[in-house]
Amino acid sequence: MRIAFIGLGIMGKPMARNLHRAGHDMIVYNRSRPAVDELAGDGMTAASSPAEAAAKADVVVTMLPNSPQVREVVAGENGVLAGAKPGLVLVDMSSIAPLAAREIAALCEEKGVTMLDAPVSGGEPKAIDASLAVMAGGDKDTFDRLRKPVLLAMAATAVYCGPVGAGNAAKLANQIIVAANIAAVAEALTLASQSGVDPAVVVDAIRGGLAGSTVLEAKAPMMLRDDFTPGFKIDLHLKDLANALETAHEVGSPLPLTAQITEMFQTVRADGGGQCDHSALIRYFRKLASRSTAEKR
Amino acid sequence: MRIAFIGLGIMGKPMARNLHRAGHDMIVYNRSRPAVDELAGDGMTAASSPAEAAAKADVVVTMLPNSPQVREVVAGENGVLAGAKPGLVLVDMSSIAPLAAREIAALCEEKGVTMLDAPVSGGEPKAIDASLAVMAGGDKDTFDRLRKPVLLAMAATAVYCGPVGAGNAAKLANQIIVAANIAAVAEALTLASQSGVDPAVVVDAIRGGLAGSTVLEAKAPMMLRDDFTPGFKIDLHLKDLANALETAHEVGSPLPLTAQITEMFQTVRADGGGQCDHSALIRYFRKLASRSTAEKR
């Protein structure tokens, strides 16, 4: 297929490479030029605007930071819809609010373009080795047609979640659970340390039971080593939690836990931790704990 | 060994049976008589007080609801210490506050009795098939000596966590993480439902990634089926969270997440859910969600 890939950041660049490796004709566009030149050097075709990229493609894949960027790239001046032929499929793999996905899909439909929202979980390493997990919403036949040749060229799994927006709704659920599981481990391990018990021993004692989780396996060691090299950055997780809160308020499903954890992440960000891995949330609890101890003295 | 077992409730009775099955001479005591009679019929020796039970034993195991009951059974009138010979070992397997465990251990030491605190995770089914997880604190040599013949006769794993109280500190960390992971799944799946996305599909889409957890595997299906047969009851989880908060405030490690989730559990209990499985916490979120929707109409 002829696939235009727009948004060649940390995630997008390796995803475009995997599509190229799978044999697709790739047209690439990015706001800043170096990433485009790099991939053009590898045999992909450079485009000078989203419209130009879309005009040459059967499928457009977008991988952008958030809803405003997707809206601009799709419906803005020289955007995808300015160049699209009817029948084009847009696969937006950005993590955005479900409502924004539905609005953008409606703009696409007016031009005869079918949109899937297909956010992923898994960070840069999984983007590189094509083992991301895709959660997709939109037309089921379109999903079925693109699943193997397009989505599974970048991902290990691709699950169909429902109509447009459902992919991002599933992604928000994912991000809420990950954030809360990190907060839980951070709060519990800080209590253990403050109680004079080695948190590494606690992890070992509880990992096999009901407290076991992928977060405990992947993030507790980072907390214990005090190594917060991302991974997934607090700034990005905050963006997802803001989308979750906005969505929740629209559909009438308050998120008290997410709201509290958002404020915790904001505290760590305010202390300069926005670019740290989200496991650095433990700094919030450590700061509370040491301050309390100091006050008692 | 001659082992006195005190506290023959839902957990204690099968634990005593497993010790008996492992070949120990069992002396049993319980405040209410039927459980004692039942085990006496199986060849164990009935005692009429904790003191009498302790007088005949090398090891006393206690499995009681909370700190006040352990204090009463150990140091009260006709308690364990009233009958104990020096050299006796007390293994308290109740889930209590670490500070209470240390205080009771100090009372034991005055009488030449060595105490391990050794709470378990895993509910009635794991008590029955001897696959509990023990987290233990206290004298390391005593732990090593009792690990195989006593603890592993009731449990699949027994991890040494540190000095007396460390077992319960690990257990509190466990209970905090389990509570928060349940709250996270409940909040996220309620948002999915309220967004019109099938929560079962969401579970399937996210279970393989960073949001995966034992709680997601074990408790999400109960939430989806609306089946809250315990399992582990909200009333008991609240007891553990209260111990966590008390402990945290003593050691100077505030638990903002646990405090919030405690109030959520209290809401479900106030609505009559105290005897439900802790996964019934999702009722808190459903109630919030449906109310919000109703208000919008």
Side-chain angles (χ1 to χ4, degrees):
Chain A
M1 274 181 235
R2 289 174 307 167
I3 301 181
F5 203 109
I6 298 174
L8 304 169
I10 291 176
M11 298 291 288
K13 201 159 63 176
M15 290 164 73
R17 282 216 168 93
N18 284 325
L19 287 169
H20 191 232
R21 213 165 276 145
H24 296 293
D25 287 338
M26 299 300 295
I27 306 117
V28 289
Y29 174 78
N30 193 55
R31 201 179 46 175
S32 75
R33 191 74 200 188
V36 176
D37 292 339
E38 188 186 332
L39 295 188
D42 293 347
M44 306 189 211
T45 304
S48 60
S49 73
E52 186 195 323
K56 295 177 178 165
D58 309 307
V59 172
V60 173
V61 178
T62 45
M63 187 63 180
L64 297 160
N66 203 355
S67 325
Q69 290 81 14
V70 177
R71 223 181 280 267
E72 173 66 21
V73 158
V74 173
E77 204 181 339
N78 286 318
V80 169
L81 294 180
K85 291 158 297 192
L88 181 78
V89 177
L90 170 63
V91 182
D92 178 34
M93 304 188 75
S94 322
S95 289
I96 68 176
L99 181 68
R102 283 195 293 271
E103 288 171 356
I104 296 165
L107 297 173
C108 288
E109 211 178 332
E110 288 172 14
K111 304 275 181 166
V113 172
T114 304
M115 175 175 141
L116 300 178
D117 72 315
V120 301
S121 78
E124 187 184 6
K126 295 200 170 190
I128 292 170
D129 67 9
S131 64
L132 295 164
V134 173
M135 292 152 263
D139 177 63
K140 179 71 161 66
D141 290 341
T142 305
F143 171 81
D144 288 341
R145 187 160 60 81
L146 296 192
R147 185 170 177 273
K148 186 134 186 273
V150 178
L151 301 178
L152 293 183
M154 299 176 276
T157 61
V159 176
Y160 180 77
C161 298
V164 166
N168 275 293
K171 176 71 192 278
L172 292 182
N174 186 79
Q175 296 304 81
I176 288 170
I177 292 173
V178 170
N181 288 10
I182 288 173
V185 170
E187 180 162 304
L189 295 187
T190 304
L191 174 62
S193 298
Q194 199 80 356
S195 303
V197 178
D198 181 355
V201 171
V202 170
V203 171
D204 202 43
I206 69 177
R207 71 202 306 170
L210 194 49
S213 69
T214 311
V215 160
L216 189 69
E217 297 301 320
K219 301 298 180 180
M222 297 178 72
M223 296 178 190
L224 296 175
R225 286 197 314 271
D226 218 358
D227 170 11
F228 303 119
T229 313
F232 190 74
K233 290 174 185 169
I234 284 178
D235 282 344
L236 280 172
H237 211 146
L238 274 168
K239 182 262 291 183
D240 291 337
L241 297 183
N243 281 336
L245 288 163
E246 184 192 318
T247 302
H249 300 161
E250 268 151 14
V251 302
S253 190
L255 303 180
L257 205 62
T258 302
Q260 190 186 27
I261 294 165
T262 295
E263 294 310 303
M264 293 173 177
F265 273 127
Q266 291 287 6
T267 304
V268 179
R269 178 198 240 173
D271 279 348
Q275 296 291 303
C276 292
D277 185 73
H278 47 179
S279 55
L281 184 62
I282 197 168
R283 286 184 183 163
Y284 174 83
F285 296 96
R286 286 180 180 158
K287 199 172 167 183
L288 281 186
S290 54
R291 187 186 300 154
S292 298
T293 307
E295 277 169 7
K296 283 202 298 190
R297 279 173 194 151
Chain B
M1 273 182 236
R2 290 175 306 168
I3 301 181
F5 203 107
I6 300 174
L8 304 169
I10 291 177
M11 298 291 288
K13 201 157 63 176
M15 290 164 74
R17 282 217 168 93
N18 284 325
L19 287 169
H20 191 231
R21 212 165 277 146
H24 296 293
D25 287 337
M26 300 299 296
I27 306 116
V28 290
Y29 173 78
N30 194 55
R31 200 178 47 175
S32 74
R33 191 74 200 188
V36 177
D37 292 341
E38 188 186 332
L39 294 188
D42 292 347
M44 306 189 211
T45 303
S48 60
S49 73
E52 186 194 323
K56 295 176 178 166
D58 309 306
V59 172
V60 174
V61 178
T62 45
M63 188 63 180
L64 297 160
N66 204 356
S67 326
Q69 291 81 13
V70 177
R71 223 182 281 269
E72 173 66 22
V73 157
V74 172
E77 204 181 341
N78 286 317
V80 168
L81 294 180
K85 291 158 295 191
L88 182 77
V89 177
L90 170 64
V91 183
D92 179 35
M93 304 188 75
S94 323
S95 288
I96 68 175
L99 182 68
R102 283 195 293 271
E103 288 171 358
I104 296 166
L107 296 173
C108 288
E109 212 178 331
E110 289 173 14
K111 304 275 181 168
V113 172
T114 304
M115 174 175 141
L116 300 178
D117 72 314
V120 301
S121 80
E124 187 184 6
K126 295 199 170 192
I128 291 170
D129 67 10
S131 65
L132 296 164
V134 173
M135 293 151 264
D139 178 63
K140 180 70 161 63
D141 290 341
T142 306
F143 170 81
D144 288 339
R145 188 160 59 81
L146 297 191
R147 186 171 177 273
K148 185 133 187 273
V150 178
L151 301 177
L152 293 182
M154 299 176 277
T157 62
V159 176
Y160 180 77
C161 297
V164 166
N168 275 294
K171 176 71 192 278
L172 292 182
N174 186 80
Q175 296 304 80
I176 288 169
I177 292 173
V178 170
N181 287 10
I182 289 174
V185 170
E187 180 162 305
L189 295 187
T190 304
L191 174 62
S193 298
Q194 199 80 359
S195 303
V197 178
D198 180 355
V201 170
V202 171
V203 171
D204 202 44
I206 69 177
R207 72 201 307 169
L210 194 49
S213 68
T214 310
V215 161
L216 189 68
E217 297 300 322
K219 301 298 179 181
M222 298 179 71
M223 297 178 190
L224 296 175
R225 288 198 312 270
D226 218 358
D227 169 12
F228 302 119
T229 313
F232 189 74
K233 290 174 186 167
I234 283 177
D235 282 345
L236 281 172
H237 212 144
L238 273 168
K239 183 263 290 183
D240 290 338
L241 297 182
N243 281 336
L245 287 163
E246 184 193 319
T247 301
H249 301 161
E250 268 151 12
V251 301
S253 190
L255 302 180
L257 205 62
T258 302
Q260 188 185 28
I261 294 165
T262 296
E263 294 309 303
M264 294 173 176
F265 272 127
Q266 291 287 5
T267 304
V268 179
R269 177 199 240 174
D271 279 348
Q275 295 292 304
C276 292
D277 185 72
H278 47 180
S279 55
L281 184 62
I282 197 169
R283 286 184 183 163
Y284 174 83
F285 296 96
R286 285 179 180 158
K287 199 172 167 184
L288 282 185
S290 53
R291 187 186 299 154
S292 299
T293 306
E295 277 168 7
K296 283 201 300 188
R297 277 169 194 153

